Amino acid sequence: MARIRGRSWRPSGRWFAGRRRGSRRERRQRRAGAGLPWARRLRSVADRSVAGQMFVLQVLIVLLLIVAAVVTLLLQARSDRFQAARDRSLAAAEAFSHSPGLVQTMSGPNPSATLQPLTEAARHQGGVDFLVVMNRDGIRYTHPSPKEIGKKFVGTIEPSLHGHVTVEKVNGPLGEELQVVVPVTDRGRVVGMVSSGLKVRSVSSAVDRQLPVVLGTGAVALALATGGTALVTRRLRRQTHGLGPVEMTRMYEHHDAVLHAVREGVVIVSGDGHVLLANDEARRLLGLPTDVEGRPVDALGLDPRMAELLASRRVATDEVLPVGERLLAVNQRPTDRRGGPPGSVATLRDSTELRALAGKAEVARGRLRLLYEASVAIGTTLDVQRTAEELAEVASPRFADYVSVDLAEPVLRGEEPRIGVGHEAPELRRVALSGSPDDHPLYQAGEVHRFAATTPQAKGFVSGQAVLVPDLRVSDGWRTQDLVRTQQILDYGFHSLITVPLKARGVLMGIVNFWRAQDSETFEDDDLSLAEELSARAAVCIDNARRFTREHAMAVTLQHSLLPRGVPEQNALDIAYRYLPAQAGVGGDWFDVIPLPGARVALVVGDVVGHGLHAAATMGRLRTAVQNFSSLDLPPDELLGHLDELIGRIDQETADVDGEAPIAGATCLYAIYDPSTGMCSLARAGHPLPALVRPDGTVEFPELPAGPPLGLGGLPFEAVELRLPEGSSLALYTDGLIEDRTRDIDVGLEILARTLAQPGRSPQKMCDAVLGALLPARQADDIALVIARTRRLEADLIATWELPADPAVVAAARADITRQLTEWGLEELGFTTELILSELITNAIRHASGPIGVRLLRDRALICEVSDTSSTAPHLRYAAAEDEGGRGLFLVAQLAERWGTRYTAEGKVIWAEQPLP
């Protein structure tokens, strides 16, 4: 088929009409004898003369254009050469007239000798024919021809004498020239002139160089135009006279064969909505009759959308329209865009199979997107239940209508589930369920159940393989679980199930069930692989969370075992405490309440830097050390000093052991409260300040010397004594309470003070209020909080005496003690108390000096104290048979429940406790 470049060959109606008229003319010529050979030669000559006229016309047009270009170039060149000569001469003259030292040289004794070489050099560099320097009278100082020096300048100089630039054409010594005269001024006065110029022929030579190029270009253009015209003439002759009736018939036959053989429907509709042409494929796709040509589109019984599109003549590109069970992609374009007849051409392509393939590709793309989102959304925490909920939320409703996750009870505790007996699955707890609406009959979250051996869930759990139940109505195995509930599930609309075991690292932890209900499609084999992939990813995350739960539980158990199980009984303080381990891992925070002799109580709060088992174990070691040092009844500053030395020795030991980390740092606050005096002695080692809440609600943070953290060594600690009114509260805490990533420590202290500043609340309520105000949403560190409200020992429960160092006062002291015990109703303890105090007073009189103090305290026990000014402590020993002394402390130890010695600033105190009857 003949084609014109860039567009398909489309015979128009007018072209065929012309051919038909030609055919009638040929018939008339044949009837008139025009069919003879000489007639055909005459037509050929006429055709050739028309082509020749077209050829001559185009050649003349090209020649005319070339002549016009040459004339224009000559006229333009004539104007440009004078302008170029003027500009070049003016630039050279002005540049030299402003040269430094020109005025001085012109007024010198021999200006020509100095200026001649300079002007010649400037002339060559400036590209001018001459550069002349002259005085006000026009006498030349310089010239390209030395014989012209000293002569009168040829040209007009009067305007330049008044400071103007003169441009003119003259016949000078070098011939016809275009020259410029520029004044040379000195402080506004013209002292001379500089003239520069060019010969006209020097500028016009450029035109002579351009003219051959223009002529050559015109010749090339003429040759190309001649060749192109010849080619067009030959093509025109070939298209108009090369095809005869036979060739035209063959062309129509080929066109018709192609039109009806393609697998794409073609429909041509006229401007008035009638079908002009429809090929075989269009008839098949649209169900058109054989005599469709000439019939209106709206009378063919087509789908309304298809009929509207064909009759509208609007542009459509791959517009998909349903026709029966087919989906047709329609492309439509109007035929009158380039002057053609009104109408439209539509092509139809069956895209049903392509749409099916595209649908499968979209399903695959959706599954990949679901797997990607699952990898991002599942496992964001190390919580077993939350991970199971994330699996259910991701898979529902995009993959299944309802998703349930059942885990064995030990998994929730971080343990591995026990293997079921035979084919029986273990007891499972439903930890996650996602789906809408929630009025379904499935097991709810939190329920515990055991699947029967014949159910898909039990088979999948025992075998470790996923099970697909495409139609629940025809499956009997799953009904054995609960006949009533399974019937309710069917009545609700559940019709398909996939159950996949959750298995990771060889551990079966539970199962996940994917349910489809109502109008959802039935699960297929392709869905099984997606369910297995989702479950496998979730199983790894659940197993990670399980192992973390186990390790966290072990660490928390160790930590709790090292912390106090409760507050010991004592009457000095009303104590409430809270201990919250970090969510991400246990730390090294600890607290303790330690009863001391003399009804006193020690409060301890500490923090070991770091998290994990090492920090918890270190905390236990430090707490034990504090309790041991407290038994020595040391002041707070001395106790912290001993604790600092202990940590230094521990670090020294761990430095010699590979793989064991040293104690990175620890802080501690130690306080001793004496209810008999209301005095509280405190010392701290790098720990936050305590908060003191007075009875009226005033909150302050008493200034205590900070002291270095434990383990640094080398620096002493300092204790501070505070007198606390009865009913005051002392709040001790670790930094996890006031520090947070989103909150500054000063802000935390301000919130703590504002929360505590409410009088009348018990320590328990104060703890709850503080945690409610300061507990962060994501607790990253341990929190230890101890609030102690002070009590005072009543004055009638304290008896004191001061005795001189005289053995004669012992009898009187026994009488006073007996009388005091009678007032307290403790006559039963009179004999043992007299013996204990007699021995202690006698030892003090014998081995010490100065006055002796005796004090009885009635608290939870009867406390006897004897103080003196000596710092020598007595020692318990066994007396030999021949020894006269050494049996007093032995009697005291046998009669008293506890006894001991503590040192004071004035000396020492020996005390003994007896339980009250």
Side-chain angles (χ1 to χ4, degrees), residues 11 17 30 62 125 161 206 264 317 326 343 347 372 380 468 493 541 559 570 619 655 668 711 717 750 766 781 865 879:
R30 282 197 295 271
V62 173
Q125 292 180 359
L161 293 175
E264 189 171 276
T317 302
R326 296 187 178 93
T347 60
Y372 169 74
T380 58
L468 168 63
C541 297
Q559 185 185 44
Q570 43 79 36
M619 175 267 292
C668 184
F717 299 95
E750 182 181 352
M766 294 175 71
D781 195 6
E865 296 181 349

Side-chain angles (χ1 to χ4, degrees), residues 777-825:
R778 177 66 180 174
Q779 183 183 340
D781 195 6
D782 293 356
I783 294 177
L785 173 64
V786 179
I787 297 180
R789 176 163 295 172
T790 61
R791 300 173 181 171
R792 291 293 296 273
L793 195 61
E794 298 179 5
D796 57 352
L797 299 179
I798 305 174
T800 60
W801 299 272
E802 187 170 342
L803 307 176
D806 185 359
V809 302
V810 176
R814 285 200 299 265
D816 293 338
I817 293 168
T818 301
R819 187 167 46 253
Q820 184 63 52
L821 293 177
T822 302
E823 292 180 3
W824 287 345

Side-chain angles (χ1 to χ4, degrees), residues 422-483:
H423 296 285
E424 184 180 2
E427 193 174 63
L428 303 177
R429 178 181 294 274
R430 179 146 296 176
V431 296
L433 177 62
S434 178
S436 177
D438 56 0
D439 57 348
H440 53 78
L442 299 174
Y443 290 120
Q444 297 294 330
E447 292 189 37
V448 179
H449 51 273
R450 186 190 300 273
F451 288 107
T454 56
T455 60
Q457 293 89 340
K459 292 180 179 179
F461 187 89
V462 173
S463 65
Q465 303 294 327
V467 178
L468 168 63
V469 184
D471 191 353
L472 293 174
R473 293 178 177 81
V474 300
S475 177
D476 297 330
W478 76 287
R479 288 177 174 266
T480 58
Q481 176 68 22
D482 186 341
L483 293 178

Side-chain angles (χ1 to χ4, degrees), residues 245-454:
V246 177
E247 289 79 5
M248 291 295 296
T249 301
R250 186 179 299 113
M251 182 188 67
Y252 273 111
E253 291 175 352
H254 292 169
H255 173 266
D256 188 70
V258 172
L259 184 64
H260 294 284
V262 295
R263 291 298 302 266
E264 189 171 276
V266 178
V267 178
I268 302 178
V269 181
S270 63
D272 56 359
H274 288 72
V275 178
L276 297 179
L277 183 145
N279 66 348
D280 296 342
E281 185 67 10
R283 291 189 177 95
R284 184 184 71 84
L285 295 176
L286 298 177
L288 300 177
T290 56
D291 57 345
V292 67
E293 282 81 1
R295 298 176 60 177
V297 173
D298 53 5
L300 299 177
L302 297 175
D303 182 84
R305 295 175 57 186
M306 179 63 73
E308 185 274 332
L309 176 61
L310 294 178
S312 64
R313 297 170 54 193
R314 64 180 174 86
V315 176
T317 302
D318 289 335
E319 185 173 334
V320 179
L321 299 177
V323 177
E325 297 180 355
R326 296 187 178 93
L327 292 175
L328 302 184
V330 183
N331 289 274
Q332 181 168 276
R333 297 292 185 273
T335 58
D336 55 356
R337 282 186 171 184
R338 299 180 180 178
S344 62
V345 177
T347 60
L348 314 173
R349 186 175 66 257
D350 192 351
S351 63
T352 306
E353 296 180 357
L354 295 177
R355 180 55 61 92
L357 293 176
K360 292 182 179 180
E362 184 62 28
V363 171
R365 190 181 302 110
R367 291 179 175 178
L368 290 176
R369 190 182 304 112
L370 177 61
L371 289 176
Y372 169 74
E373 294 178 359
S375 64
V376 175
I378 299 176
T380 58
T381 65
L382 288 174
D383 182 79
V384 174
Q385 181 168 350
R386 180 54 193 159
T387 304
E389 291 173 353
E390 290 171 346
L391 169 61
E393 293 170 358
V394 167
S396 171
R398 295 182 56 183
F399 177 66
D401 296 318
Y402 292 86
V403 179
S404 60
V405 181
D406 304 330
L407 298 177
E409 287 283 356
V411 175
L412 300 176
R413 300 189 299 268
E415 305 170 3
E416 294 186 6
R418 295 184 298 273
I419 304 300
V421 180
H423 296 285
E424 184 180 2
E427 193 174 63
L428 303 177
R429 178 181 294 274
R430 179 146 296 176
V431 296
L433 177 62
S434 178
S436 177
D438 56 0
D439 57 348
H440 53 78
L442 299 174
Y443 290 120
Q444 297 294 330
E447 292 189 37
V448 179
H449 51 273
R450 186 190 300 273
F451 288 107
T454 56

Side-chain angles (χ1 to χ4, degrees), residues 13-28:
R14 289 174 296 183
W15 191 88
F16 283 107
R19 292 295 295 174
R20 286 192 295 271
R21 287 194 298 270
S23 299
R24 286 195 294 270
R25 198 163 47 245
E26 289 176 356
R27 287 195 296 271
R28 288 195 299 269

Side-chain angles (χ1 to χ4, degrees), residues 1-12 14 235 239 335-341:
M1 182 183 297
R3 296 182 60 88
I4 300 175
R5 182 169 184 169
R7 56 180 295 185
S8 60
W9 182 85
R10 294 183 179 180
S12 64
R14 289 174 296 183
R235 186 173 183 85
Q239 289 183 346
T335 58
D336 55 356
R337 282 186 171 184
R338 299 180 180 178

Side-chain angles (χ1 to χ4, degrees), residues 44 47 85 92 108 112 120 208-209 226 270 302 466 638 648 653 674 718 887 901:
S44 178
D47 291 340
S112 296
E120 286 302 297
D208 299 334
R209 292 191 300 269
T226 303
S270 63
L302 297 175
E638 294 185 16
E653 294 175 0
D674 188 349
E718 185 177 352
R887 297 175 178 82
T901 304

Side-chain angles (χ1 to χ4, degrees), residues 520-736:
S520 300
E521 297 181 358
T522 301
F523 281 124
E524 299 177 352
D525 293 336
D526 293 341
D527 299 319
L528 188 62
S529 60
L530 178 59
E532 290 176 335
E533 181 66 23
L534 285 173
S535 303
R537 298 190 180 192
V540 174
C541 297
I542 292 176
D543 187 57
N544 290 337
R546 177 191 66 82
R547 298 174 67 182
F548 171 80
T549 301
R550 179 186 61 189
E551 295 175 1
H552 184 70
M554 293 173 56
V556 170
T557 302
L558 173 62
Q559 185 185 44
H560 286 178
S561 66
L562 298 175
L563 290 170
R565 301 299 178 88
V567 177
E569 295 182 356
Q570 43 79 36
N571 293 333
L573 298 170
D574 183 10
I575 296 177
Y577 67 92
R578 297 289 186 273
Y579 189 89
L580 301 177
Q583 298 179 3
V586 297
D589 294 14
W590 93 92
F591 72 96
D592 213 342
V593 180
I594 306 173
L596 297 178
R600 297 168 303 140
V601 176
L603 300 175
V604 189
V605 173
D607 183 7
V608 176
V609 176
H611 293 84
L613 294 177
H614 178 71
T618 303
M619 175 267 292
R621 299 169 74 176
L622 295 182
R623 178 172 177 257
T624 303
V626 171
Q627 288 182 335
N628 292 333
F629 291 141
S630 298
S631 64
L632 300 177
D633 212 346
L634 299 175
D637 53 342
E638 294 185 16
L639 185 141
L640 292 180
H642 287 291
L643 197 61
D644 182 65
E645 294 178 1
L646 173 64
I647 293 180
R649 290 196 300 271
I650 294 176
D651 286 344
Q652 185 64 32
E653 294 175 0
T654 57
D656 301 332
V657 180
D658 295 336
E660 186 172 352
I663 300 176
T667 64
C668 184
L669 174 64
Y670 188 82
I672 298 177
Y673 174 70
D674 188 349
S676 63
T677 62
M679 297 299 296
C680 183
S681 179
L682 305 96
R684 64 182 180 128
H687 202 80
L689 289 170
L692 176 60
V693 185
R694 298 191 179 276
D696 59 355
T698 304
V699 179
E700 61 178 298
F701 295 91
E703 289 296 333
L704 303 180
L710 299 175
L712 297 183
L715 296 176
F717 299 95
E718 185 177 352
V720 174
E721 288 193 349
L722 302 175
R723 183 176 296 278
L724 304 181
E726 186 175 6
S728 301
S729 296
L730 196 63
L732 285 69
Y733 52 89
T734 56
D735 57 359

